[in-house]
Amino acid sequence: MKKREKQDIDERRDSYRLTVKDNTAFIEGPSGGPGLKLEDLSASGGGLLVQSGATFAGDEVRARVTLIDEPPFEVRLRPTRIFDKGNVTKLGVRLEVDGLAPLRTMSRYLTGLFLEQEHALARLVDHPSPIRAEVMRHSLRKVLLYYGIACRRKMKVFMGDLELPCQAMLRGIVVRAARELMAIELTGEQEVFENGRDYFMAMPAANCLLLFNTRFWKREGPVFLFTLPEKLQRTGLRRSLRLPVGEKGRVKVSFPHPRLQGRLVVHEAREISGDGLAFPIDLDKDILFPGEKISNVRIEHPMGVSIGETMVRSIDRDEKTYSCGLEILNFQNQAQAETWKRFVFQELHPGLKLGGIEDVDSAWTALKASGYLEEVTQDLVPLLKKRFMVSWTRQSNNTPVARYMLYFHQDDPGATLAANLLYPGTWIVHHLGVAKAIRKKSRKDMLEIARKLYSGNAYLLEHLADSEFFVIYVNAAKAWNEMMYGRFLRQYKQPLDFVYDGYKVYKCITEKSLQKSGKWRKSISVREANFEMLDLLSEHLKLQLPELEYDAFCYHREQIDLKDFSRWCLDLGYERSRKIFVARENGDLRAGLIAECGDQGLNVFSLFNRCWFVYPDDEARHDEEIKGALLERAVAYYTKQEKSEFMLLGSFAGEPDNVLKSLGFKYVTDVIRWLARRDILPSYLEYIQEFLGMMHG
């Protein structure tokens, strides 16, 4: 199965290499050797500038390093790479030190460099979010008031590229002299603010930072008035929401120190997320380096113990203390990863539960309460329930291919959502529903439950599913779906990350279908595609479809029939298969029909048993008899597979009624399909947290 590659630092380095500031780091080589200048430095290496053509004598030399005003210390240098930079040569060197004091000095110096570069305004501005990078004036009031007043977010203040030693809290938006102004309360140094001077502020949002430019207008008692910005800029999206650890001692992290043999580092976590955690540190005692990889990290939490490899992704500082942020790179085994990610899921989404075998009956109750069953063929409901119970009882703990979650409202199942593996690396989200009684009774409760469900779904796809892509089919007529998907995608700046289109859905109940009408042209022949036909169809789809869809739906020649994937699924007790039928006329390939099969009980709408047309000959899309002949073969195929019903995803413009009726198809509804890369999820998480949060009030 596919997995996303982590964007880590250079694997040859064991910590971040940071550019040194002028007049803060000095290196003195051996007597008689070339003059040296430190250009960059890490915990175990650096870049040295020497006179062009100069080299060290021998494989290893000794030198003395001085960092700021700390006492100098001796290092051993071993050249690893040489770069010609015109008048000078840059040497990449491994660097070794002996003793605790030099390590402590280097740790404090590199942490200071990291903090200065990490908090620089220029760096924040250079990492814009792909979602609505700019929030314009007509909506920024709502955004500012939501995060500033409702969420009580503290802001950082910058003058130029310099972060000022103060924090700001928005107290409201006021009008003075016909001008809208932000009323802000400042803590820390206040004398630095000058009337008429421009400043930058950074406000934490749900899953990113909001940056904006503002001008100090005047002071009114304890309140400082700043101009309302023209726009807000989003930056620094995260893959997962972060959550403070409430109860002391609930999550403990410990690991052997990566550089000091025999020392064990032990701390209580302050913050957790799906892919990491943060804890307070003492710089002089813990001696950690930004970017450092740490193995055998033991995390003790209420659901068990998880041990893995991590990286010091950040070191941060508040008014009094430092904190270390660890990114979890991998765990010792899948069971430990599952335990940690389930724990974080429950902490981030109180009220939601990842379903197991014991919850299948509750999932059916939630589906029924949501009104889903009112939209299916009513005489099939008893059979659907039986199949649902059997299928989800079998798949509930089959986590590589199936997940579902429940929300319990006053001890009753009030909402549900399911996700299943559709193709290698592609998951389908379905059965998302909130009980009608909740929707009617309390808009506030409904919005809060929806926010948890959508956030839980993003977490599931990001952390609990081995996904590269996901797809959702939703009712095109519902305004809610337009708000939750269409509105977001109109604001998203990277169109190659998603496909958003629509279909007309027709359903066929096989036992009621007329399997053979016999009125198609005799020149039309339909058969299962052979290797040559599969090659032609794969090439056609590659030319006609977006690359995203071609990859996500496995249309590559070696995957298009899903045979290997089907066998892999079968070994897990999970059904996924694909047959492709082609219509030929006078020796020419006219059209194809892709028919897929899956477990009937996983979705009440038969979403896993569906077919659709492809047209190597574009004129065939208007040929009713070609379509009829292919659909006739589809009916026979699904009947043979003992599928009681299946759906046709037809053109949004419609399919020929006379052909469909002659074979027993009935129109059901119009649907919207949203297919996307997993990379879109952090932006979508930000959108739903903010949009539903503001609607919730």
Side-chain angles (χ1 to χ4, degrees):
M1 307 305 295
K2 301 178 186 176
K3 289 189 177 180
R4 172 193 290 181
E5 295 180 0
K6 290 185 177 290
Q7 300 299 313
D8 291 336
I9 60 172
D10 190 328
E11 294 297 328
R12 290 169 295 188
R13 299 172 184 166
D14 56 8
S15 65
Y16 292 147
R17 182 167 289 187
L18 302 167
T19 302
V20 303
K21 291 180 63 179
D22 289 341
N23 301 318
T24 63
F26 305 92
I27 184 167
E28 181 182 351
S31 176
L36 305 177
K37 180 181 179 182
L38 264 176
E39 185 176 61
D40 50 62
L41 185 66
S42 73
S44 57
L48 304 180
L49 298 181
V50 300
Q51 183 180 355
S52 181
T55 59
F56 291 139
D59 294 334
E60 181 179 291
V61 298
R62 293 185 177 271
R64 288 172 64 83
V65 172
T66 305
L67 301 177
I68 314 181
D69 297 324
E70 299 288 339
F73 54 89
E74 189 172 273
V75 298
R76 296 185 299 279
L77 304 178
R78 183 174 297 130
T80 57
R81 286 183 285 180
I82 300 176
F83 307 92
D84 187 11
K85 299 185 68 173
N87 295 329
V88 295
T89 295
K90 182 175 180 179
L91 299 178
V93 298
R94 294 289 296 177
L95 182 150
E96 296 177 5
V97 300
D98 294 321
L100 192 61
L103 273 178
R104 183 180 292 120
T105 298
M106 290 181 64
S107 173
R108 292 191 67 88
Y109 177 76
L110 288 171
T111 297
L113 280 182
F114 176 79
L115 285 170
E116 193 169 316
Q117 295 175 21
E118 190 76 3
H119 289 189
L121 181 62
R123 181 186 178 278
L124 297 176
V125 173
D126 286 343
H127 290 76
S129 160
I131 170 182
R132 199 173 36 175
E134 295 181 351
V135 182
M136 304 311 291
R137 196 175 184 91
H138 67 277
S139 59
L140 64 80
R141 295 175 189 83
K142 291 181 180 179
V143 175
L144 284 172
L145 290 171
Y146 172 65
Y147 287 117
I149 304 297
C151 300
R152 299 183 58 80
R153 301 292 171 86
K154 294 181 179 180
M155 297 181 285
K156 295 180 179 180
V157 185
F158 296 84
M159 183 172 63
D161 202 42
L162 176 68
E163 183 180 346
L164 298 179
C166 63
Q167 287 189 324
M169 284 282 291
L170 181 66
R171 294 305 183 194
I173 295 177
V174 300
V175 177
R176 298 288 187 273
R179 173 181 290 183
E180 286 188 303
L181 302 166
M182 296 182 296
I184 288 177
E185 183 179 298
L186 293 167
T187 57
E189 294 187 19
Q190 302 175 358
E191 295 77 14
V192 295
F193 292 94
E194 302 175 13
N195 288 5
R197 184 159 191 166
D198 288 338
Y199 297 88
F200 252 94
M201 293 191 182
M203 174 186 283
N207 198 38
C208 69
L209 281 177
L210 294 172
L211 300 179
F212 58 90
N213 183 265
T214 181
R215 178 168 294 177
F216 179 46
W217 199 58
K218 70 173 184 178
R219 181 172 182 173
E220 288 186 355
V223 173
F224 290 70
L225 299 181
F226 289 82
T227 58
L228 195 69
E230 291 293 327
K231 62 185 179 182
L232 308 177
Q233 169 124 358
R234 298 180 190 273
T235 184
L237 278 167
R238 300 190 184 105
R239 289 178 54 202
S240 174
L241 296 175
R242 295 181 180 181
L243 181 73
V245 178
E247 184 181 339
K248 190 174 182 181
R250 201 152 182 264
V251 180
K252 189 168 83 171
V253 57
S254 59
F255 52 87
H257 196 285
R259 299 179 189 278
L260 301 175
Q261 191 172 4
R263 176 177 291 192
L264 185 69
V265 180
V266 181
H267 287 287
E268 293 180 0
R270 174 187 290 173
E271 200 174 55
I272 58 174
S273 70
D275 51 9
L277 49 80
F279 51 89
I281 59 170
D282 182 326
L283 276 189
D284 289 333
K285 179 181 177 182
D286 292 312
I287 313 179
L288 297 175
F289 291 85
E292 188 162 44
K293 288 189 176 180
I294 304 177
S295 301
N296 297 313
V297 175
R298 178 184 176 90
I299 307 171
E300 300 175 38
H301 52 87
M303 286 191 180
V305 176
S306 301
I307 301 172
E309 182 183 12
T310 68
M311 171 186 284
V312 179
R313 184 58 72 182
S314 67
I315 294 179
D316 211 345
R317 176 183 58 207
D318 58 23
E319 296 176 358
K320 297 180 180 179
T321 61
Y322 288 87
S323 64
C324 173
L326 290 185
E327 179 185 355
I328 301 169
L329 302 178
N330 54 65
F331 287 100
Q332 284 186 345
N333 54 55
Q334 184 57 38
Q336 292 182 9
E338 177 78 10
T339 300
W340 169 254
K341 291 173 181 179
R342 275 181 172 265
F343 165 66
V344 176
F345 175 89
Q346 298 294 163
E347 295 296 300
L348 283 173
H349 310 100
L352 280 186
K353 181 185 180 185
L354 289 169
I357 292 176
E358 70 280 5
D359 302 304
V360 176
D361 191 62
S362 294
W364 179 262
T365 301
L367 273 182
K368 185 176 180 180
S370 72
Y372 262 68
L373 301 182
E374 298 170 9
E375 302 177 27
V376 302
T377 309
Q378 289 303 297
D379 56 359
L380 287 177
V381 170
L383 179 60
L384 286 175
K385 180 178 181 180
K386 180 180 178 180
R387 287 173 173 167
F388 180 92
M389 299 299 292
V390 170
S391 296
W392 278 105
T393 298
R394 184 169 59 243
Q395 302 298 342
S396 289
N397 293 332
N398 200 358
T399 55
V401 297
R403 300 273 189 174
Y404 75 99
M405 65 184 73
L406 289 162
Y407 181 84
F408 288 90
H409 183 68
Q410 298 174 353
D411 297 328
D412 294 324
T416 186
L417 178 147
N420 289 85
L421 185 66
L422 193 65
Y423 310 114
T426 302
W427 282 65
I428 183 169
V429 179
H430 59 107
H431 279 175
L432 195 162
V434 179
K436 292 171 68 176
I438 296 174
R439 301 200 306 262
K440 291 179 179 179
K441 183 178 179 180
S442 173
R443 179 177 182 270
K444 186 175 182 180
D445 285 350
M446 190 277 289
L447 290 171
E448 181 59 22
I449 293 170
R451 181 161 64 158
K452 288 181 179 180
L453 273 179
Y454 283 97
S455 175
N457 176 48
Y459 182 97
L460 186 157
L461 293 170
E462 186 74 71
H463 300 289
L464 290 166
D466 185 11
S467 66
E468 286 294 325
F469 311 96
F470 64 90
V471 63
I472 302 173
Y473 295 88
V474 295
N475 192 318
K478 293 185 177 180
W480 174 264
N481 291 328
E482 160 59 23
M483 287 193 304
M484 295 311 300
Y485 307 114
R487 185 178 183 271
F488 162 70
L489 293 172
R490 286 195 297 275
Q491 300 167 0
Y492 190 78
K493 298 192 310 173
Q494 298 178 5
L496 296 181
D497 282 351
F498 68 90
V499 173
Y500 194 64
D501 54 14
Y503 299 91
K504 286 193 180 298
V505 176
Y506 304 87
K507 186 166 287 188
C508 176
I509 300 176
T510 52
E511 65 179 17
K512 297 181 180 180
S513 173
L514 302 174
Q515 293 189 27
K516 194 171 183 65
S517 77
K519 64 178 182 180
W520 324 121
R521 296 190 302 273
K522 292 184 179 180
S523 57
I524 300 171
S525 66
V526 175
R527 67 183 186 187
E528 185 178 343
N530 59 21
F531 290 117
E532 180 186 358
M533 294 295 104
L534 291 177
D535 281 340
L536 291 173
L537 286 174
S538 176
E539 189 62 28
H540 164 75
L541 292 169
K542 185 176 183 179
L543 295 173
Q544 295 297 316
L545 296 178
E547 181 181 358
L548 163 64
E549 183 174 358
Y550 186 77
D551 292 340
F553 275 53
C554 294
Y555 290 139
H556 292 266
R557 175 59 192 90
E558 64 275 12
Q559 294 179 305
I560 193 169
D561 58 8
L562 295 184
K563 283 188 176 179
D564 291 340
F565 177 63
S566 297
R567 284 193 289 268
W568 180 84
C569 290
L570 191 62
D571 289 341
L572 292 175
Y574 183 67
E575 182 187 0
R576 287 294 298 138
S577 64
R578 176 186 281 173
K579 287 287 185 183
I580 300 179
F581 301 101
V582 292
R584 302 183 69 178
E585 191 169 21
N586 300 322
D588 296 326
L589 177 61
R590 300 294 309 283
L593 182 133
I594 298 175
E596 295 185 353
C597 283
D599 193 326
Q600 292 186 102
L602 292 177
N603 180 271
V604 297
F605 298 122
S606 300
L607 194 54
F608 293 91
N609 294 287
R610 67 196 198 286
C611 62
W612 59 96
F613 296 113
V614 293
Y615 301 105
D617 179 352
D618 195 58
E619 292 184 2
R621 69 177 65 248
H622 307 294
D623 192 318
E624 296 183 3
E625 294 190 47
I626 289 284
K627 292 182 177 183
L630 284 167
L631 289 175
E632 184 178 86
R633 184 61 179 268
V635 172
Y637 170 68
Y638 284 106
T639 301
K640 184 177 180 180
Q641 297 300 311
E642 299 182 343
K643 306 300 181 184
S644 60
E645 61 179 13
F646 68 98
M647 63 170 59
L648 167 67
L649 298 179
S651 167
F652 220 33
E655 299 292 351
D657 286 342
N658 58 324
V659 171
L660 295 171
K661 288 178 180 178
S662 71
L663 291 168
F665 285 84
K666 291 184 178 180
Y667 169 76
V668 179
T669 188
D670 288 2
V671 299
I672 294 295
R673 178 185 67 162
W674 178 29
L675 170 65
R677 301 184 193 279
R678 189 177 72 167
D679 297 335
I680 207 172
L681 286 171
S683 297
Y684 188 58
L685 181 60
E686 171 70 17
Y687 173 79
I688 59 177
Q689 288 289 324
E690 181 178 295
F691 180 62
L692 292 177
M694 288 195 296
M695 287 182 67
H696 181 270

